[in-house]
Amino acid sequence: MPEKLLSMTQKEMRELGYKVVDTLIEHFVTLEDKPVTRTANRAAMDHEFQKGFPQKGGSVDEVLTEVRERIFTNIMHLDHPRFFAFVPSPSNFVSVMAEALIAGHNAFAGTWLEAAGPGQIELNTIDWLCQLIGLPPSAGGLFVSGGSVANLTALAVARNVRLGNRMADAAIYFSDQTHSSVERALRVLGFSQEQMRKLPSDDLFRLDLQDLEDAVLEDRALGRQPFCVVANAGTTNTGAVDPLPALAELCTREKLWLHADGAYGAAAFMCEHGKEILNGLESVHSLSLDPHKWLFQPYEIGCVLVRDARHLKDTFRILPEYLRDVEQTEEQINFCDCGIQLTRSFRALKLWMALRIFGAEEFSSAVAKGFYLAEYAQGILESFKEFEIVTPAHMAIVTFRYVAPGLSEQQIDDINEKIVNSIIQHGFAMISSTTLRGRTVLRMCTINPRTTEEDIKQTIELIKGCGDRLSPSSY
Ligand SMILES: Cc1ncc(COP(=O)(O)O)c(C=O)c1O
């Protein structure tokens, strides 16, 4: 048998490494000049790439060229300064390099025995986030793939701690603005649709306290077992924040677990304005916060924090005989005991390196800029009679509608839907639509700190132009 398989010489590794780094730098420095959107249908993609198993290896250059010119040319750039759709992921170069270090060293961040250094960095980084939110010293958490798994992890803990995993008759409460990942997590955990009490939100798209209290009391009277409320710390639709201090009070009184989905919004705690809006977040039992959203990390990194870190271990820890050797002292945390994954990568490094190199103050300014840009966008929108603000700038999200006189609500819905399609075809920017109170609205999420005022202005002018062309008066 050959002595070395699947390996490269030093020279080959350096050459490949430099080419990859050059490709990435090229991506970063040319990004704002590239189209934001790029879509292709399945048939075109099917045609583009060979499907046969590559029995014999090919040249590095050939493969890299294919990667550069045919794969990464067929993506939307969620890190582009004019990507305002859904929740953008503005990323940063330090964390991208950290990803290379993470993959290159292939640390097994599941156990302390195999990764004491990464384990300590994860503990420290989690601790920074707990301190940021103002959670007590008992708090802890772990990094996961994203908000969906963070919500799943937290709700599994709530189920275990509050119900002892006996779920019959249990009831859980959240608003109709809650992210679908919460409902999916509950399905995975085995809750039925009837056990999920999705309550209509108030005029500001927040959980209505009175409705919540009534639903809890009604369920108790019917012999059901209310056990958890999921609050929003920044909804995906409008950035709405549920009334956290009042919810914390109600949950204490009614002995309910309070989980906050801050996958999108909790990072706003980095700046003073965000801290004011999110007042009360420090009182939750558990919290999701996604660094791959408003903390500028490349995918995938989400985070779940719990008020009492021991609850994670109580919920997830299993020690099989083949892992006996990893069991060490109490303080030496095995992260595999705290969540769903045994094998897990050293995600913490990218956030830790970016915070160390840029500093928390720069992060704070970057988050604050998101708030400012949404307000700036609102001002530009208001300067056109064709736009109606649906929800004003809040948590770096503004929603609006293109309106034209003499049109029915349905016609206006149709135009707004079509505007998004036109924007996608155009490529200059990307926005998305959603439905609020039954009406189609446009939505801009402005969390990219490299977005300029000019980017916002030109994007809104483009949207207006699309609306003008699509409205019947221009026929
Ligand atoms: C409020 C909220 N919760 C949860 C999620 C799900 O996060 P992920 O896509 O990282 O799983 C999102 C995603 O946008 C979100 O905005």
Side-chain angles (χ1 to χ4, degrees):
M1 295 294 281
E3 260 184 18
K4 285 189 176 170
L5 289 164
L6 298 179
S7 55
M8 288 180 132
T9 64
Q10 268 198 47
K11 184 167 175 289
E12 286 167 336
M13 286 193 281
R14 275 213 171 83
E15 277 173 13
L16 172 56
Y18 290 146
K19 281 175 185 161
V20 170
V21 168
D22 284 345
T23 301
L24 291 173
I25 293 172
E26 176 80 5
H27 168 72
F28 269 76
V29 299
T30 60
L31 183 57
E32 59 193 50
D33 303 322
K34 287 186 189 157
V36 181
T37 60
R38 181 75 183 245
T39 57
N41 63 34
R42 176 64 203 274
M45 289 292 94
D46 231 15
H47 184 69
E48 185 75 21
F49 300 102
Q50 70 150 46
K51 288 203 207 65
F53 217 102
Q55 294 296 353
K56 296 272 180 234
S59 91
V60 164
D61 282 338
E62 216 173 274
V63 174
L64 266 186
T65 303
E66 186 168 343
V67 168
R68 253 193 320 252
E69 294 178 8
R70 287 159 71 193
I71 301 178
F72 286 123
T73 45
N74 279 299
I75 58 171
M76 278 200 195
H77 296 296
L78 278 79
D79 45 358
H80 195 293
R82 290 188 300 276
F83 186 96
F84 301 110
F86 316 116
V87 178
S89 181
S91 189
N92 77 88
F93 193 71
V94 168
S95 299
V96 170
M97 290 296 98
E99 280 283 14
L101 291 169
I102 294 164
H105 290 85
N106 206 21
F108 183 93
T111 68
W112 189 270
L113 178 73
E114 287 157 291
Q120 189 59 47
I121 295 304
E122 181 150 356
L123 286 175
N124 292 0
T125 316
I126 290 284
D127 205 38
W128 288 344
L129 295 178
C130 290
Q131 284 176 35
L132 176 74
I133 305 295
L135 293 172
S138 59
L142 82 162
F143 290 110
V144 294
S145 57
S148 303
V149 173
N151 283 334
L152 175 63
T153 307
L155 293 171
V157 173
R159 181 183 68 167
N160 182 50
V161 174
R162 289 299 160 99
L163 299 173
N165 296 318
R166 283 177 295 277
M167 295 151 60
D169 298 325
I172 179 163
Y173 306 81
F174 49 91
S175 89
D176 58 9
Q177 295 299 301
T178 300
H179 193 270
S180 56
S181 60
V182 166
E183 206 168 316
R184 188 186 291 131
L186 292 170
R187 266 196 225 167
V188 170
L189 292 170
F191 291 97
S192 68
Q193 209 66 39
E194 294 72 48
Q195 292 177 289
M196 304 177 204
R197 303 290 306 260
K198 197 192 278 194
L199 303 169
S201 50
D202 69 11
D203 290 349
L204 298 173
F205 298 99
R206 300 173 311 182
L207 193 53
D208 185 295
L209 270 178
Q210 193 56 55
D211 284 359
L212 171 64
E213 195 162 2
D214 291 350
V216 168
L217 296 181
E218 185 188 313
D219 281 341
R220 283 240 165 84
L222 291 168
R224 298 192 186 121
Q225 200 182 348
F227 82 102
C228 179
V229 173
V230 180
N232 289 305
T235 62
T236 321
N237 268 342
T238 63
V241 175
D242 289 335
L244 296 167
L247 284 173
E249 218 180 286
L250 186 143
C251 287
T252 306
R253 197 168 66 241
E254 296 295 333
K255 299 193 172 39
L256 303 171
W257 183 278
L258 179 58
H259 171 67
D261 181 359
Y264 166 66
F269 240 88
M270 287 298 302
C271 74
E272 286 310 313
H273 187 43
K275 244 181 222 157
E276 282 164 26
I277 295 176
L278 294 169
N279 173 37
L281 196 57
E282 67 286 352
S283 309
V284 300
H285 294 100
S286 58
L287 166 70
S288 303
L289 181 165
D290 269 2
H292 66 203
K293 295 186 167 73
W294 211 350
L295 281 181
F296 318 108
Q297 299 304 301
Y299 299 128
E300 300 171 349
I301 179 169
C303 175
V304 57
L305 301 177
V306 290
R307 185 166 208 83
D308 184 342
R310 288 172 309 183
H311 288 325
L312 285 170
K313 220 166 154 183
D314 295 344
T315 304
F316 292 104
R317 185 168 177 272
I318 295 176
L319 181 66
E321 67 284 4
Y322 42 82
L323 286 182
R324 198 163 43 207
D325 303 329
V326 308
E327 193 62 359
Q328 307 214 329
T329 61
E330 263 300 295
E331 320 78 68
Q332 301 185 168
I333 306 283
N334 288 329
F335 282 100
C336 65
D337 289 342
C338 303
I340 295 157
Q341 283 182 278
L342 167 58
T343 300
R344 56 198 296 281
S345 76
F346 179 21
R347 293 186 177 97
L349 184 69
K350 49 188 169 179
L351 180 57
W352 182 86
M353 273 181 62
L355 279 164
R356 287 286 310 272
I357 291 173
F358 290 120
E361 282 176 15
E362 189 150 337
F363 270 74
S364 173
S365 304
V367 171
K369 189 170 173 191
F371 279 94
Y372 166 74
L373 289 170
E375 283 157 21
Y376 180 80
Q378 182 183 335
I380 302 286
L381 288 161
E382 282 169 341
S383 71
F384 291 104
K385 65 176 182 341
E386 290 82 358
F387 289 118
E388 174 187 285
I389 301 294
V390 179
T391 58
H394 184 64
M395 298 283 279
I397 295 175
V398 58
T399 66
F400 55 100
R401 255 157 95 76
Y402 178 94
V403 288
L407 299 184
S408 69
E409 288 291 325
Q410 186 55 52
Q411 283 173 311
I412 294 175
D413 282 353
D414 292 346
I415 289 176
N416 282 281
E417 255 165 54
K418 285 181 185 150
I419 285 176
V420 176
N421 286 332
S422 303
I423 296 282
I424 292 172
Q425 297 313 318
H426 190 285
F428 177 76
M430 178 66 190
I431 59 161
S432 51
S433 68
T434 187
T435 302
L436 293 176
R437 307 268 175 263
R439 300 267 66 104
T440 300
V441 306
L442 302 176
R443 179 182 164 285
M444 283 176 78
C445 180
T446 58
I447 60 173
N448 191 326
R450 293 172 293 272
T451 298
T452 62
E453 290 178 358
E454 204 49 34
D455 286 325
I456 301 260
K457 211 160 151 261
Q458 290 178 6
T459 300
I460 292 173
E461 280 163 3
L462 177 68
I463 300 169
K464 181 188 166 303
C466 293
D468 290 348
R469 268 191 305 283
L470 289 162
S471 48
S473 53
S474 73
Y475 288 168

